[in-house]
Amino acid sequence: MVFRKSPDGGWGWVVVLVSFFTQFLCYGSPLAVGVLYLEWLDVFREGKGKTAWVGSLANGIGLLASPVCSICVSSFGARPVAIFSGFMVAGGLMMSSFAPNIYFLYVSYGIVVGLGCGLLYTATVTITCQYFDKRRGLALGLISTGSSVGLFIYAALQRELIELYGLDGCLLIVGALSLNILACGSLMRPLESSSSPPPEKTCADKVPDQYFVYHEKGKTIEENISILEKGYIDEKCGNNVPDCKQDNILNKNVLSSINVNEKDTYKKKVVEQTNFCKQLAKRKWQLYLTYWKETVVLFKNKVFSALFVAILLFDIGGFPPSLLMEDVARSANINEDDYYMPLISIIGIMTTVGKLVLGILADFKWVNTLYLYVITLLMTGVALFAIPFAKSYLTLAMLSGILGFLTGNWSIFPYVTTKTVGIEKLTHAYGILMFFAGLGNSLGPPIVGWFYDWTQEYDTAFYFSGFCVLLGGFLLLLAALPCWNACTNQGSKLPPNTYSYKVASSA
């Protein structure tokens, strides 16, 4: 289907608004799962590593399944997927209130809610990109803050609901709130199709299904003719059932009247069609080979390889604080009366600020976005090393704010990817990187929890997290330095398929 030109406004702003609230409603509870994590520890009496799997699955499964989510949105459209995913998120949260054990939560909260969030994220981004072209960066920036605002509000909301109605009541109410996603999804009206006629089918698309049996080498020409006759009869019967018998009789009469010369011509056409189908199958196989060759070429780029390692290590080490910071405060014996605001709420609001500030910095010509991203990684590693020395609410709140601000580097990650591989390969490369980001999200909290179960303190766990993030930052810096100098020296000698940062950032 061909859509008309992006309006860059109008109903598009309604789409931005409902996409913001969609991400707010679906990601609020999973990102603020640290509040629920404390309750699950007390209820199920499982280890911290095993319990942390619930929150890590909810936040990582959507990224891991991003290729599937993209296929669903491409096949069915953003609005149907958003409505269906709203039922998934709401149903998963409500089912979690009846969880008899931690393993039930793995499915209900971790997989069902996580997959629903992944589908909703893809749907909101896709429909927003359809409605905006020149203002696409602004629109995507606005909807991306929905998850951060959700983290800020849901952290306090879930704590208050637990005090009033208990853990089960909290999950039921939060699940009921998520049903508002259905209303938001219904407003994601797709763009009307253009009045231009649809493109003509290619020769390959015009080939009937029955022709695809001809690539088998073992069949003789006579067998191919009989198959073709059968395919022709089946096709006619499927299109017009009442006339099926009459068509069969007519077809037999026609075939019986074909003379020898006509049969020879018919055989020749079958052989030609067989060769055509063989070439078509070969072309499809060549497309698959090309995809994997392009993937191999991406990993030959040392900056991209370092970026893939950096994003994996960053999510292993940098994601656990948003899940475990409340338990860190409880393990440090901080009095709950000293709490002015949940630490997770501080992380959420500062993540919003970080996304906006870092995104604005990335637009300045004198700012090298790759180096900016590396700086955020190195500062995150240092902040993680400082967590074991924080023994008061004030110091933990300051570190939570710093970590939240630095986590806002997600807003500049597409810029970094574009600079590394070029805008033509952005979709391919970004999908690979998001898969490993989801893997890091899924592994990080359980690893930190296992360190606590092993040592009975968080110090070693956060030293490990800080080391992972610092290692990723240094590897990316070492890989980028010579590459960046080469790109700078070449200047206008860039190949035609490669874009400078100035062009990529404005795309």
Side-chain angles (χ1 to χ4, degrees):
M1 180 177 291
V2 179
F3 295 105
R4 63 183 177 89
K5 185 179 179 181
S6 301
D8 276 299
W11 190 261
W13 293 117
V14 177
V15 171
V16 169
L17 181 64
V18 297
S19 297
F20 171 89
F21 280 107
T22 296
Q23 293 203 15
F24 170 84
L25 292 167
C26 73
Y27 277 105
S29 181
L31 290 178
V33 72
V35 177
L36 304 175
Y37 171 75
L38 297 178
E39 301 298 322
W40 287 330
L41 284 174
D42 296 335
V43 171
F44 298 114
R45 302 292 180 182
E46 298 284 356
K48 294 181 185 293
K50 185 181 291 187
T51 308
W53 269 110
V54 180
S56 61
L57 282 175
N59 287 278
I61 198 72
L63 293 174
L64 288 171
S66 55
V68 178
C69 298
S70 299
I71 292 173
C72 291
V73 175
S74 299
S75 302
F76 303 105
R79 180 158 61 181
V81 169
I83 294 173
F84 175 77
S85 303
F87 281 113
M88 287 186 66
V89 173
L93 290 169
M94 293 180 180
M95 286 169 57
S96 299
S97 65
F98 304 101
N101 52 54
I102 200 70
Y103 303 103
F104 187 91
L105 285 174
Y106 289 163
V107 178
S108 63
Y109 197 97
I111 296 178
V112 177
V113 175
L115 187 57
C117 290
L119 288 167
L120 285 168
Y121 176 81
T122 306
T124 53
V125 170
T126 301
I127 192 69
T128 303
C129 289
Q130 290 176 1
Y131 270 91
F132 289 89
D133 184 15
K134 296 179 181 179
R135 300 177 180 177
R136 184 175 295 169
L138 173 62
L140 292 175
L142 290 173
I143 69 171
S144 67
T145 58
S147 58
S148 301
V149 175
L151 170 59
F152 171 70
I153 294 178
Y154 267 74
L157 175 64
Q158 290 185 145
R159 173 176 288 183
E160 189 68 23
L161 290 175
I162 289 172
E163 292 180 358
L164 293 175
Y165 305 105
L167 177 61
D168 297 343
C170 170
L171 289 169
L172 284 173
I173 294 173
V174 171
L177 287 175
S178 299
L179 288 173
N180 289 287
I181 296 173
L182 307 181
C184 295
S186 64
L187 295 175
M188 294 181 184
R189 186 175 65 196
L191 278 177
E192 298 176 359
S193 58
S194 63
S195 57
S196 59
E200 275 192 44
K201 290 185 177 181
T202 61
C203 293
D205 295 330
K206 294 179 181 179
V207 180
D209 293 338
Q210 59 266 24
Y211 290 157
F212 286 91
V213 300
Y214 297 149
H215 69 279
E216 298 181 23
K217 296 181 179 179
K219 292 188 179 296
T220 64
I221 294 177
E222 289 76 11
E223 289 173 335
N224 284 334
I225 294 174
S226 63
I227 292 173
L228 184 60
E229 293 171 1
K230 184 178 182 299
Y232 172 78
I233 295 170
D234 292 341
E235 183 179 1
K236 295 293 291 182
C237 291
N239 294 334
N240 195 349
V241 177
D243 297 334
C244 181
K245 294 182 179 179
Q246 181 180 354
D247 289 342
N248 287 342
I249 297 171
L250 179 61
N251 186 54
K252 289 179 180 179
N253 293 333
V254 171
L255 290 175
S256 61
S257 64
I258 297 178
N259 56 34
V260 177
N261 293 331
E262 290 175 338
K263 284 186 177 181
D264 291 339
T265 304
Y266 198 62
K267 291 177 182 180
K268 188 176 180 181
K269 289 183 179 180
V270 170
V271 173
E272 290 176 354
Q273 190 63 59
T274 303
N275 293 331
F276 171 76
C277 292
K278 287 181 180 180
Q279 293 297 324
L280 183 63
K282 185 177 180 180
R283 186 179 302 175
K284 287 181 176 290
W285 176 248
Q286 192 66 33
L287 290 175
Y288 290 117
L289 291 179
T290 302
Y291 175 84
W292 289 110
K293 286 178 181 178
E294 289 179 355
T295 304
V296 173
V297 170
L298 284 176
F299 280 98
K300 287 182 179 179
N301 183 337
K302 58 182 177 180
V303 179
F304 178 81
S305 298
L307 190 62
F308 127 74
V309 175
I311 192 65
L312 175 64
L313 294 177
F314 172 73
D315 279 279
I316 288 176
F319 177 66
S322 63
L323 175 62
L324 304 173
M325 193 60 80
E326 297 292 332
D327 193 45
V328 171
R330 186 169 71 171
S331 301
N333 297 320
I334 296 176
N335 192 350
E336 292 187 1
D337 296 335
D338 297 334
Y339 272 61
Y340 302 101
M341 183 184 295
L343 296 175
I344 300 179
S345 294
I346 297 175
I347 293 176
I349 196 64
M350 289 306 296
T351 300
T352 305
V353 175
K355 286 179 178 179
L356 295 175
V357 173
L358 293 174
I360 292 172
L361 287 176
D363 285 332
F364 287 108
K365 296 180 180 179
W366 52 269
V367 174
N368 188 311
T369 313
L370 179 60
Y371 287 154
L372 179 63
Y373 185 74
V374 169
I375 290 172
T376 60
L377 295 183
L378 298 178
M379 292 179 65
T380 301
V382 173
L384 290 170
F385 271 115
I387 289 179
F389 300 99
K391 302 300 180 182
S392 65
Y393 173 80
L394 181 61
T395 53
L396 282 176
M398 292 175 61
L399 288 173
S400 298
I402 293 171
L403 288 169
F405 179 86
L406 296 173
T407 305
N409 62 8
W410 275 100
S411 64
I412 63 174
F413 190 71
Y415 286 77
V416 177
T417 309
T418 304
K419 175 63 180 177
T420 303
V421 301
I423 197 169
E424 291 183 346
K425 298 180 181 178
L426 175 62
T427 303
H428 190 180
Y430 199 72
I432 295 173
L433 293 173
M434 287 301 98
F435 175 84
F436 287 103
L439 186 63
N441 273 348
S442 301
L443 295 177
I447 290 175
V448 172
W450 289 330
F451 268 108
Y452 184 92
D453 294 336
W454 179 37
T455 61
Q456 294 302 309
E457 43 88 16
Y458 276 114
D459 295 357
T460 306
F462 282 104
Y463 290 148
F464 169 79
S465 297
F467 172 77
C468 286
V469 178
L470 284 176
L471 177 62
F474 279 120
L475 287 175
L476 183 57
L477 180 62
L478 291 175
L481 282 173
C483 177
W484 225 251
N485 292 334
C487 291
T488 304
N489 295 333
Q490 289 177 1
S492 61
K493 296 181 181 180
L494 289 170
N497 290 336
T498 305
Y499 290 76
S500 66
Y501 171 71
K502 182 178 178 180
V503 177
S505 62
S506 62

Coordinates of all heavy atoms in Angstrom, one line a residue, residues 99-173:
A99 N -0.4 -14.7 41.1 CA 0.8 -15.6 40.9 C 1.0 -16.4 42.2 O 1.2 -15.8 43.3 CB 2.0 -14.7 40.6
P100 N 1.1 -17.7 42.1 CA 1.4 -18.6 43.3 C 2.8 -18.7 43.6 O 3.2 -19.1 44.7 CB 0.7 -19.9 42.9 CG 0.9 -20.0 41.4 CD 0.7 -18.6 40.9
N101 N 3.7 -18.4 42.6 CA 5.1 -18.6 42.8 C 5.9 -17.7 41.8 O 5.3 -17.1 40.9 CB 5.6 -20.0 42.6 CG 5.1 -20.7 41.3 OD1 5.3 -20.1 40.2 ND2 4.4 -21.8 41.4
I102 N 7.2 -17.7 41.9 CA 8.0 -16.8 41.1 C 8.0 -17.2 39.6 O 8.1 -16.4 38.7 CB 9.4 -16.7 41.7 CG1 10.1 -15.4 41.2 CG2 10.2 -17.9 41.3 CD1 9.6 -14.2 41.7
Y103 N 7.8 -18.5 39.4 CA 7.9 -19.0 38.0 C 6.7 -18.6 37.2 O 6.8 -18.4 36.0 CB 8.0 -20.6 38.1 CG 9.2 -21.1 38.8 CD1 9.0 -21.6 40.1 CD2 10.5 -21.0 38.3 CE1 10.1 -22.0 40.8 CE2 11.6 -21.4 39.0 CZ 11.4 -21.9 40.3 OH 12.5 -22.4 41.0
F104 N 5.5 -18.4 37.9 CA 4.3 -17.9 37.2 C 4.6 -16.5 36.8 O 4.2 -16.0 35.7 CB 3.1 -18.0 38.2 CG 1.8 -17.6 37.6 CD1 1.0 -18.6 37.0 CD2 1.4 -16.3 37.5 CE1 -0.2 -18.3 36.4 CE2 0.2 -16.0 37.0 CZ -0.6 -17.0 36.4
L105 N 5.3 -15.7 37.6 CA 5.6 -14.3 37.3 C 6.5 -14.2 36.1 O 6.5 -13.2 35.4 CB 6.2 -13.6 38.5 CG 5.3 -13.2 39.6 CD1 6.1 -12.7 40.8 CD2 4.3 -12.2 39.2
Y106 N 7.4 -15.2 35.9 CA 8.3 -15.2 34.7 C 7.4 -15.1 33.5 O 7.8 -14.4 32.5 CB 9.1 -16.4 34.7 CG 10.2 -16.5 35.7 CD1 10.8 -17.7 36.0 CD2 10.6 -15.4 36.4 CE1 11.9 -17.8 37.0 CE2 11.7 -15.4 37.3 CZ 12.3 -16.7 37.6 OH 13.3 -16.7 38.6
V107 N 6.3 -15.8 33.4 CA 5.5 -15.9 32.3 C 4.5 -14.6 32.2 O 4.5 -13.9 31.2 CB 4.7 -17.2 32.2 CG1 3.7 -17.2 31.0 CG2 5.6 -18.4 32.2
S108 N 3.8 -14.4 33.3 CA 2.7 -13.4 33.3 C 3.3 -12.0 33.2 O 2.9 -11.2 32.4 CB 1.8 -13.6 34.5 OG 2.6 -13.4 35.7
Y109 N 4.3 -11.7 34.1 CA 4.9 -10.4 34.1 C 6.0 -10.2 33.2 O 6.2 -9.3 32.4 CB 5.3 -10.0 35.5 CG 5.5 -8.5 35.8 CD1 4.5 -7.8 36.4 CD2 6.7 -7.9 35.4 CE1 4.7 -6.4 36.6 CE2 6.9 -6.5 35.6 CZ 5.9 -5.8 36.2 OH 6.0 -4.4 36.4
G110 N 6.9 -11.2 33.2 CA 8.2 -11.1 32.4 C 7.9 -11.2 30.9 O 8.3 -10.3 30.1
I111 N 7.2 -12.3 30.5 CA 7.1 -12.5 29.0 C 5.9 -11.8 28.4 O 6.0 -11.1 27.4 CB 7.0 -14.0 28.8 CG1 8.3 -14.7 29.2 CG2 6.7 -14.3 27.3 CD1 8.3 -16.2 29.0
V112 N 4.7 -12.0 29.1 CA 3.5 -11.4 28.5 C 3.5 -9.9 28.5 O 3.3 -9.2 27.5 CB 2.2 -11.9 29.3 CG1 1.0 -11.2 28.7 CG2 2.1 -13.4 29.1
V113 N 3.8 -9.3 29.7 CA 3.9 -7.8 29.8 C 5.1 -7.3 28.9 O 5.0 -6.3 28.2 CB 4.0 -7.4 31.2 CG1 4.2 -5.9 31.3 CG2 2.8 -7.8 32.0
G114 N 6.2 -8.0 29.0 CA 7.4 -7.6 28.3 C 7.2 -7.6 26.8 O 7.5 -6.6 26.1
L115 N 6.6 -8.6 26.3 CA 6.3 -8.7 24.8 C 5.3 -7.7 24.4 O 5.4 -7.1 23.3 CB 5.8 -10.1 24.5 CG 5.7 -10.4 23.0 CD1 7.0 -10.2 22.2 CD2 5.2 -11.9 22.8
G116 N 4.3 -7.4 25.2 CA 3.3 -6.4 24.9 C 3.9 -5.0 24.9 O 3.6 -4.2 24.0
C117 N 4.8 -4.7 25.8 CA 5.5 -3.5 25.7 C 6.4 -3.3 24.5 O 6.4 -2.2 23.9 CB 6.4 -3.3 27.0 SG 5.5 -3.1 28.5
G118 N 7.0 -4.4 24.1 CA 7.8 -4.4 22.8 C 7.0 -4.1 21.6 O 7.4 -3.3 20.7
L119 N 5.8 -4.7 21.5 CA 4.9 -4.5 20.4 C 4.4 -3.0 20.4 O 4.3 -2.4 19.4 CB 3.7 -5.4 20.5 CG 4.0 -6.9 20.1 CD1 2.9 -7.8 20.5 CD2 4.3 -7.1 18.6
L120 N 4.1 -2.5 21.6 CA 3.6 -1.1 21.7 C 4.7 -0.1 21.3 O 4.4 0.9 20.7 CB 3.0 -0.9 23.1 CG 1.7 -1.5 23.4 CD1 1.4 -1.4 24.9 CD2 0.6 -0.8 22.6
Y121 N 5.9 -0.4 21.7 CA 7.0 0.5 21.4 C 7.1 0.6 19.9 O 7.2 1.7 19.3 CB 8.3 0.1 22.0 CG 9.5 0.9 21.7 CD1 9.7 2.2 22.3 CD2 10.3 0.5 20.7 CE1 10.8 2.9 21.9 CE2 11.4 1.3 20.3 CZ 11.6 2.5 21.0 OH 12.7 3.3 20.6
T122 N 7.2 -0.6 19.2 CA 7.3 -0.6 17.8 C 6.1 0.1 17.1 O 6.3 0.8 16.1 CB 7.4 -2.0 17.3 OG1 8.5 -2.7 18.0 CG2 7.7 -2.1 15.8
A123 N 4.9 -0.1 17.6 CA 3.7 0.5 17.0 C 3.8 2.0 17.1 O 3.5 2.7 16.1 CB 2.5 -0.1 17.6
T124 N 4.1 2.5 18.3 CA 4.1 4.0 18.5 C 5.2 4.6 17.6 O 5.0 5.7 17.0 CB 4.3 4.3 19.9 OG1 5.5 3.6 20.4 CG2 3.1 3.9 20.8
V125 N 6.4 4.0 17.5 CA 7.4 4.6 16.7 C 7.1 4.6 15.2 O 7.3 5.5 14.5 CB 8.8 3.9 17.0 CG1 9.8 4.3 16.0 CG2 9.3 4.1 18.4
T126 N 6.5 3.5 14.8 CA 6.1 3.3 13.4 C 5.1 4.3 12.9 O 5.2 5.0 11.9 CB 5.6 1.9 13.1 OG1 6.7 1.0 13.4 CG2 5.3 1.7 11.6
I127 N 4.0 4.4 13.7 CA 2.9 5.3 13.3 C 3.4 6.8 13.4 O 3.0 7.6 12.6 CB 1.7 5.1 14.2 CG1 0.4 5.8 13.7 CG2 1.9 5.5 15.7 CD1 -0.1 5.2 12.4
T128 N 4.3 7.1 14.4 CA 4.8 8.5 14.5 C 5.7 8.8 13.3 O 5.6 9.9 12.7 CB 5.6 8.7 15.8 OG1 4.7 8.3 16.9 CG2 6.1 10.1 15.9
C129 N 6.5 7.9 12.8 CA 7.3 8.1 11.7 C 6.5 8.3 10.4 O 6.9 9.0 9.5 CB 8.3 7.0 11.5 SG 9.6 6.9 12.8
Q130 N 5.4 7.6 10.3 CA 4.5 7.8 9.1 C 3.9 9.2 9.1 O 3.7 9.7 8.0 CB 3.4 6.7 9.2 CG 3.9 5.3 8.9 CD 2.8 4.3 9.0 OE1 1.6 4.7 9.3 NE2 3.1 3.0 8.8
Y131 N 3.6 9.8 10.2 CA 3.0 11.1 10.2 C 3.9 12.2 10.2 O 3.5 13.4 9.9 CB 2.1 11.2 11.5 CG 0.7 10.7 11.3 CD1 0.3 9.4 11.6 CD2 -0.3 11.6 10.8 CE1 -1.0 9.0 11.4 CE2 -1.6 11.1 10.7 CZ -2.0 9.8 10.9 OH -3.2 9.4 10.7
F132 N 5.2 12.0 10.5 CA 6.2 13.1 10.5 C 7.4 12.8 9.7 O 7.9 11.6 9.6 CB 6.6 13.3 12.0 CG 5.6 14.0 12.8 CD1 4.6 13.2 13.5 CD2 5.4 15.3 12.9 CE1 3.6 13.7 14.3 CE2 4.4 15.9 13.7 CZ 3.5 15.1 14.4
D133 N 7.9 13.8 9.0 CA 9.1 13.7 8.2 C 10.1 14.8 8.7 O 11.1 14.5 9.3 CB 8.8 13.8 6.7 CG 10.0 13.7 5.9 OD1 11.0 13.1 6.4 OD2 10.0 14.0 4.7
K134 N 9.8 16.0 8.5 CA 10.7 17.1 8.8 C 10.8 17.3 10.4 O 11.8 17.6 10.9 CB 10.2 18.5 8.2 CG 10.2 18.5 6.7 CD 9.7 19.8 6.2 CE 9.7 19.8 4.6 NZ 9.2 21.1 4.1
R135 N 9.7 17.0 11.1 CA 9.7 17.1 12.5 C 9.7 15.8 13.2 O 9.3 15.6 14.4 CB 8.4 17.9 13.0 CG 8.3 19.3 12.4 CD 7.0 19.9 12.8 NE 6.8 21.3 12.3 CZ 5.7 22.0 12.5 NH1 4.7 21.5 13.2 NH2 5.7 23.2 12.0
R136 N 10.3 14.8 12.5 CA 10.3 13.5 13.1 C 11.1 13.4 14.4 O 10.7 12.7 15.3 CB 10.8 12.5 12.0 CG 10.8 11.0 12.5 CD 11.2 10.1 11.3 NE 10.3 10.2 10.2 CZ 10.5 9.7 9.0 NH1 11.7 9.1 8.8 NH2 9.6 9.8 8.1
G137 N 12.3 14.0 14.4 CA 13.1 14.0 15.6 C 12.4 14.5 16.8 O 12.4 14.0 17.9
L138 N 11.7 15.7 16.6 CA 10.9 16.3 17.8 C 9.8 15.3 18.2 O 9.6 15.1 19.4 CB 10.3 17.6 17.3 CG 9.4 18.3 18.3 CD1 10.1 18.6 19.6 CD2 8.8 19.5 17.7
A139 N 9.1 14.7 17.2 CA 8.0 13.9 17.6 C 8.4 12.6 18.3 O 7.9 12.2 19.4 CB 7.2 13.5 16.3
L140 N 9.5 12.0 17.8 CA 10.0 10.8 18.5 C 10.6 11.2 19.9 O 10.5 10.4 20.8 CB 11.1 10.2 17.7 CG 10.7 9.5 16.4 CD1 11.9 9.0 15.6 CD2 9.7 8.4 16.6
G141 N 11.2 12.3 20.0 CA 11.7 12.8 21.3 C 10.6 12.9 22.3 O 10.7 12.6 23.5
L142 N 9.4 13.5 21.9 CA 8.3 13.7 22.8 C 7.7 12.4 23.3 O 7.4 12.2 24.4 CB 7.2 14.5 22.1 CG 7.6 16.0 21.8 CD1 6.5 16.7 21.0 CD2 7.8 16.8 23.2
I143 N 7.5 11.4 22.3 CA 6.9 10.2 22.8 C 7.9 9.3 23.6 O 7.4 8.6 24.5 CB 6.4 9.3 21.6 CG1 7.6 8.8 20.7 CG2 5.5 10.2 20.7 CD1 7.1 7.8 19.7
S144 N 9.2 9.5 23.4 CA 10.1 8.7 24.2 C 10.2 9.1 25.7 O 10.6 8.3 26.5 CB 11.5 8.8 23.6 OG 12.0 10.1 23.7
T145 N 9.7 10.3 25.9 CA 9.7 10.8 27.3 C 8.6 10.1 28.1 O 8.5 10.2 29.3 CB 9.6 12.3 27.4 OG1 8.4 12.7 26.7 CG2 10.8 13.0 26.8
G146 N 7.6 9.5 27.4 CA 6.5 8.9 28.1 C 6.9 7.8 29.0 O 6.4 7.7 30.2
S147 N 7.9 7.0 28.6 CA 8.4 5.9 29.5 C 9.1 6.5 30.7 O 8.9 5.9 31.8 CB 9.3 5.0 28.7 OG 10.4 5.7 28.2
S148 N 9.9 7.5 30.6 CA 10.6 8.1 31.7 C 9.6 8.8 32.7 O 9.8 8.6 33.9 CB 11.6 9.2 31.2 OG 12.5 8.6 30.3
V149 N 8.6 9.5 32.2 CA 7.6 10.1 33.1 C 6.8 8.9 33.8 O 6.5 9.0 34.9 CB 6.6 11.0 32.3 CG1 5.5 11.5 33.2 CG2 7.4 12.1 31.7
G150 N 6.6 7.8 33.0 CA 5.9 6.7 33.7 C 6.7 6.1 34.8 O 6.1 5.8 35.8
L151 N 8.0 6.0 34.6 CA 8.9 5.5 35.7 C 8.8 6.4 36.9 O 8.7 5.9 38.0 CB 10.3 5.4 35.2 CG 11.4 5.2 36.2 CD1 11.2 3.9 36.9 CD2 12.8 5.2 35.5
F152 N 8.8 7.7 36.7 CA 8.8 8.7 37.8 C 7.4 8.6 38.6 O 7.5 8.6 39.8 CB 8.9 10.1 37.2 CG 8.7 11.2 38.2 CD1 9.5 11.4 39.3 CD2 7.5 12.0 38.1 CE1 9.3 12.4 40.2 CE2 7.3 13.0 39.0 CZ 8.2 13.2 40.1
I153 N 6.3 8.5 37.9 CA 5.0 8.5 38.5 C 4.7 7.1 39.1 O 4.2 7.0 40.2 CB 3.9 9.0 37.6 CG1 4.1 10.4 37.2 CG2 2.5 8.8 38.2 CD1 3.1 11.0 36.2
Y154 N 4.9 6.1 38.3 CA 4.6 4.7 38.8 C 5.3 4.2 40.0 O 4.9 3.4 40.8 CB 4.7 3.7 37.6 CG 3.5 3.5 36.8 CD1 3.1 4.5 35.9 CD2 2.7 2.4 36.9 CE1 1.9 4.3 35.2 CE2 1.6 2.2 36.2 CZ 1.2 3.2 35.3 OH 0.0 3.0 34.5
A155 N 6.6 4.7 40.2 CA 7.3 4.3 41.4 C 6.6 4.8 42.6 O 6.5 4.0 43.6 CB 8.7 4.9 41.3
A156 N 6.1 6.0 42.7 CA 5.4 6.5 43.9 C 4.0 5.9 43.9 O 3.5 5.6 45.0 CB 5.4 8.0 43.8
L157 N 3.4 5.8 42.7 CA 2.0 5.3 42.7 C 1.9 3.8 43.2 O 1.0 3.5 44.0 CB 1.5 5.3 41.2 CG 0.1 4.7 41.0 CD1 -1.0 5.5 41.8 CD2 -0.2 4.8 39.5
Q158 N 2.8 3.0 42.7 CA 2.8 1.6 43.1 C 3.1 1.4 44.6 O 2.5 0.5 45.3 CB 3.8 0.7 42.3 CG 3.3 0.6 40.8 CD 4.3 -0.3 40.0 OE1 3.8 -1.0 39.1 NE2 5.5 -0.3 40.3
R159 N 4.0 2.2 45.1 CA 4.3 2.1 46.6 C 3.0 2.5 47.4 O 2.7 1.9 48.4 CB 5.4 3.1 46.9 CG 5.7 3.2 48.4 CD 6.9 4.0 48.7 NE 8.1 3.3 48.4 CZ 9.3 3.8 48.6 NH1 9.5 5.0 49.1 NH2 10.4 3.1 48.3
E160 N 2.3 3.6 46.9 CA 1.1 4.0 47.6 C 0.0 2.9 47.5 O -0.7 2.7 48.5 CB 0.7 5.3 47.1 CG -0.5 6.0 47.9 CD 0.0 6.5 49.2 OE1 1.2 6.7 49.4 OE2 -0.9 6.6 50.1
L161 N -0.1 2.3 46.4 CA -1.2 1.3 46.2 C -0.9 0.1 47.0 O -1.8 -0.6 47.5 CB -1.3 1.0 44.7 CG -1.9 2.0 43.8 CD1 -1.8 1.5 42.3 CD2 -3.3 2.3 44.2
I162 N 0.4 -0.3 47.2 CA 0.8 -1.4 48.0 C 0.4 -1.2 49.4 O -0.1 -2.1 50.1 CB 2.3 -1.7 47.8 CG1 2.5 -2.3 46.4 CG2 2.7 -2.7 48.9 CD1 4.0 -2.5 46.1
E163 N 0.6 0.0 49.9 CA 0.3 0.4 51.3 C -1.2 0.3 51.5 O -1.7 -0.1 52.6 CB 0.9 1.7 51.7 CG 2.4 1.8 51.7 CD 2.9 3.1 52.1 OE1 2.1 4.1 52.3 OE2 4.2 3.3 52.2
L164 N -2.0 0.7 50.5 CA -3.4 0.8 50.7 C -4.1 -0.5 50.4 O -5.1 -0.9 51.2 CB -4.0 1.9 49.8 CG -3.6 3.4 50.1 CD1 -4.1 4.3 49.0 CD2 -4.1 3.8 51.5
Y165 N -3.7 -1.2 49.4 CA -4.5 -2.4 48.9 C -3.6 -3.7 48.9 O -4.2 -4.7 48.5 CB -5.0 -2.1 47.5 CG -5.9 -0.9 47.5 CD1 -5.4 0.3 46.8 CD2 -7.2 -0.8 48.0 CE1 -6.2 1.4 46.8 CE2 -8.0 0.3 47.9 CZ -7.5 1.4 47.3 OH -8.2 2.6 47.3
G166 N -2.4 -3.6 49.2 CA -1.5 -4.8 49.1 C -1.0 -5.0 47.7 O -1.4 -4.3 46.8
L167 N -0.1 -6.0 47.6 CA 0.6 -6.2 46.3 C -0.4 -6.7 45.3 O -0.4 -6.2 44.1 CB 1.7 -7.3 46.5 CG 2.4 -7.8 45.3 CD1 3.1 -6.6 44.6 CD2 3.3 -8.9 45.6
D168 N -1.4 -7.6 45.6 CA -2.3 -8.1 44.7 C -3.2 -6.9 44.2 O -3.5 -6.8 43.0 CB -3.2 -9.2 45.3 CG -2.3 -10.4 45.7 OD1 -1.2 -10.5 45.1 OD2 -2.8 -11.2 46.4
G169 N -3.7 -6.1 45.1 CA -4.6 -5.0 44.7 C -3.8 -4.0 43.8 O -4.4 -3.4 42.9
C170 N -2.6 -3.8 44.1 CA -1.8 -2.9 43.3 C -1.7 -3.3 41.9 O -1.9 -2.5 40.9 CB -0.4 -2.7 43.9 SG 0.8 -1.8 42.9
L171 N -1.4 -4.6 41.7 CA -1.2 -5.1 40.3 C -2.6 -5.1 39.6 O -2.6 -4.8 38.4 CB -0.7 -6.6 40.3 CG 0.8 -6.7 40.7 CD1 1.2 -8.1 41.0 CD2 1.7 -6.1 39.7
L172 N -3.7 -5.4 40.3 CA -5.0 -5.3 39.6 C -5.3 -3.9 39.2 O -5.8 -3.7 38.1 CB -6.1 -5.8 40.6 CG -6.2 -7.3 40.8 CD1 -7.2 -7.7 41.9 CD2 -6.6 -8.0 39.5
I173 N -5.0 -2.9 40.0 CA -5.3 -1.5 39.7 C -4.5 -1.0 38.6 O -4.9 -0.4 37.6 CB -5.2 -0.6 40.9 CG1 -6.3 -1.0 42.0 CG2 -5.3 0.9 40.6 CD1 -6.1 -0.3 43.3

